[in-house]
């Protein structure tokens, strides 16, 4: 496994802001085989990935927790799957059951408590995020009377609470602002309980993610009178912060607090479709931002970006057809480094060499 930047370097705010303004270069800091994958990345730089010996939560402080999918003392639940990690270090996902025709229920894992499974009712939910106060956003859910819900909140130790309406939960931020979508459009349900539709020129959209400061990203797909898909970033008031054309089809999958988004767009080169966008540097192919040490690597798509600029992506190595999951670490371009002082540059370059 390759080394990663220490947290104090990654959270050096001036460095990151200058890097985003000029577009970052990237190098591969972690690689996971396609059969397993990188499940989560938070703003502290903690990485959740799956390996042959179970799930690994590799923390930015250098510690690692390895845990399996066995659910102990949870009745009919036989195993669990982790699909993300919150900024508080709580891993979330779902647990499978072998009874009542099978199904799954939202579940969370912590090193202190192991797996905990959402109680009550039918089995058809999964965790989509965890707030700073410990509320779990559930896509699908259960109610105390056993009726199935589209989405809900579950506070560990309490019964789940339904979110009214035909809702499909996508993600939440630490404060409890959450993004939802269905066939009729997308919206933010703010932490205060008010709803804000996410529109493009008055038209319904498809939202996918929300940053730690409440920026949501999504798309308006190409259609009648609109030849290209439009990628969009909104604030919690539903105002469009930025937008970009993604050719005839594309999706923005992740957004950070600076409004930088990552995703996938299909173009003439179907093997090089991972993208990054910020108004300061425009829409870029992530492959074009790789350092010379990774020349020839193709970034096929990107699923997440944190506030430090780290990206979770899928990639294909030169001369290979096998896809791998990779963590991309940002490396400021020389012009950026020159503004920061030789001492910081020297330290950062030492870390860059250790990650290759």
């Amino acid at each position: 496994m390759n080394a990663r930047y220490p947290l104090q370097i990654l959270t050096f705010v001036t460095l990151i802001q200058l890097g985003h303004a000029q577009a970052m270069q990237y190098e591969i800091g972690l690689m996971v085989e396609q059969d397993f994958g990188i499940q989560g990345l938070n703003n502290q730089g903690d990485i959740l990935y799956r390996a042959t010996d179970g799930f690994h939560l590799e923390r930015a402080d250098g510690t690692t927790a390895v845990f399996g999918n066995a659910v102990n003392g949870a009745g009919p639940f036989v195993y669990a799957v982790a699909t993300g990690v919150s900024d508080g270090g709580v891993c979330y996902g779902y647990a499978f059951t072998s009874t009542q025709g099978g199904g799954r229920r939202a579940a969370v894992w912590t090193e202190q408590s192991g797996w905990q499974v959402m109680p009550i009712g039918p089995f058809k939910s999964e965790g989509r995020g965890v707030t700073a106060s410990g509320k779990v956003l559930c896509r699908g859910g259960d109610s105390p009377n056993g009726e199935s819900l589209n989405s809900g909140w579950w506070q560990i130790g309490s019964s789940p609470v339904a979110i009214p309406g035909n809702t499909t939960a996508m993600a939440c931020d630490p404060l409890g602002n959450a993004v939802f979508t269905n066939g009729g459009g997308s919206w933010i349900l703010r932490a205060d309980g008010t709803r804000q539709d996410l529109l493009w020129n008055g038209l319904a959209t498809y939202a996918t993610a929300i940053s730690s400061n409440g920026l949501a990203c999504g798309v308006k797909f190409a259609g009648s009178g609109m030849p290209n898909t439009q990628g969009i970033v909104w604030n919690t008031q539903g105002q469009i912060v930025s937008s970009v054309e993604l050719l005839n089809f594309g999706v923005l999958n992740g957004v950070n607090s600076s409004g930088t988004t990552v995703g996938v767009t299909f173009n003439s080169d179907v093997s090089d479709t991972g993208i990054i966008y910020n108004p300061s540097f425009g829409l870029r192919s992530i492959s074009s931002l790789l350092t010379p040490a990774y020349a020839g690597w193709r970034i096929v798509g990107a699923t997440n970006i944190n506030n430090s600029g780290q990206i979770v992506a899928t990639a294909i190595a030169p001369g290979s057809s096998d896809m791998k999951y990779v963590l991309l670490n940002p490396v400021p371009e020389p012009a950026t480094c020159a503004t920061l002082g030789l001492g910081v540059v020297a330290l950062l370059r030492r870390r860059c060499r250790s990650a290759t």
Side-chain angles (χ1 to χ4, degrees):
M1 184 183 303
N2 296 324
R4 297 186 288 119
Y5 295 105
L7 185 60
Q8 62 266 32
I9 296 294
L10 284 173
T11 55
F12 193 80
V13 176
T14 304
L15 173 62
I16 294 303
Q17 289 176 339
L18 287 171
H20 280 307
Q22 301 186 34
M24 306 292 282
Q25 288 188 313
Y26 283 90
E27 63 183 10
I28 296 174
L30 175 68
M31 192 182 309
V32 180
E33 296 299 322
Q34 184 179 7
D35 290 343
F36 299 102
I38 300 176
Q39 271 72 29
L41 170 69
N42 67 15
N43 288 312
Q44 282 63 52
D46 302 332
I47 304 166
L48 173 68
Y49 64 95
R50 197 170 186 175
T52 55
D53 58 346
F55 295 97
H56 288 232
L57 179 60
E58 185 183 335
R59 302 184 182 95
D61 64 8
T63 62
T64 300
V66 181
F67 59 99
N69 56 17
V71 180
N72 298 319
F77 295 97
V78 291
Y79 68 93
V81 175
T83 59
V85 58
S86 74
D87 281 356
V90 178
C91 298
Y92 54 87
Y94 50 86
F96 280 100
T97 176
S98 58
T99 65
Q100 298 190 20
R104 59 191 187 183
R105 181 89 59 79
V108 296
W109 180 92
T110 64
E111 196 161 23
Q112 297 76 24
S113 303
W115 282 106
Q116 295 174 277
V117 183
M118 188 173 75
I120 303 174
F123 306 108
K124 51 180 66 177
S125 63
E126 62 181 82
R128 300 293 292 181
V130 182
T131 69
S133 63
K135 288 172 59 179
V136 183
L137 179 66
C138 303
R139 180 173 180 167
D142 304 320
S143 64
N145 62 7
E147 295 177 353
S148 175
L149 307 175
N150 292 293
S151 292
W153 289 106
W154 165 44
Q155 186 82 47
I156 298 172
S158 304
S159 297
V161 177
I163 297 173
N166 181 20
T167 60
T168 302
M170 302 298 289
C172 66
D173 69 11
L175 294 178
N177 301 300
V179 170
F180 298 85
T181 191
N182 61 19
S186 301
W187 60 95
I188 288 179
L189 184 64
R190 302 189 191 97
D192 63 9
T194 58
R195 169 175 163 159
Q196 175 62 57
D197 289 336
L198 301 176
L199 304 173
W200 169 256
N201 291 339
L203 301 174
T205 63
Y206 177 77
T208 56
I210 190 168
S211 71
S212 61
N213 63 346
L215 294 178
C217 71
V219 295
K220 171 58 185 173
F221 289 116
S224 177
M226 189 174 176
N228 293 324
T229 294
Q230 195 77 29
I232 312 159
V233 176
W234 301 267
N235 61 22
T236 55
Q237 304 306 310
Q239 299 166 325
I240 294 176
V241 175
S242 66
S243 63
V244 62
E245 286 192 355
L246 302 178
L247 301 181
N248 62 341
F249 182 78
V251 177
L252 297 180
N253 294 316
V255 59
N256 67 15
S257 60
S258 73
T260 302
T261 62
V262 295
V264 59
T265 186
F266 295 104
N267 51 36
S268 58
D269 181 1
V270 296
S271 63
D272 185 25
T273 53
I275 55 170
I276 182 170
Y277 169 73
N278 184 287
S280 64
F281 57 75
L283 182 67
R284 304 284 295 272
S285 160
I286 300 175
S287 299
S288 70
L289 301 178
L290 294 177
T291 63
Y294 297 97
W297 278 81
R298 294 170 289 165
I299 305 302
V300 179
T303 59
N304 196 3
I305 181 169
N306 68 9
N307 289 346
S308 299
Q310 292 177 292
I311 296 172
V312 175
T314 50
I316 300 175
S320 173
S321 60
D322 295 331
M323 192 153 54
K324 300 180 184 298
Y325 290 86
V326 296
L327 176 75
L328 302 177
N329 286 324
V331 182
E333 293 182 295
T336 300
C337 291
T339 68
L340 300 174
L342 295 177
V344 175
V345 174
L347 176 59
L348 187 56
R349 285 175 176 168
R350 285 198 296 271
R351 298 300 303 181
C352 291
R353 285 197 295 270
S354 70
T356 58

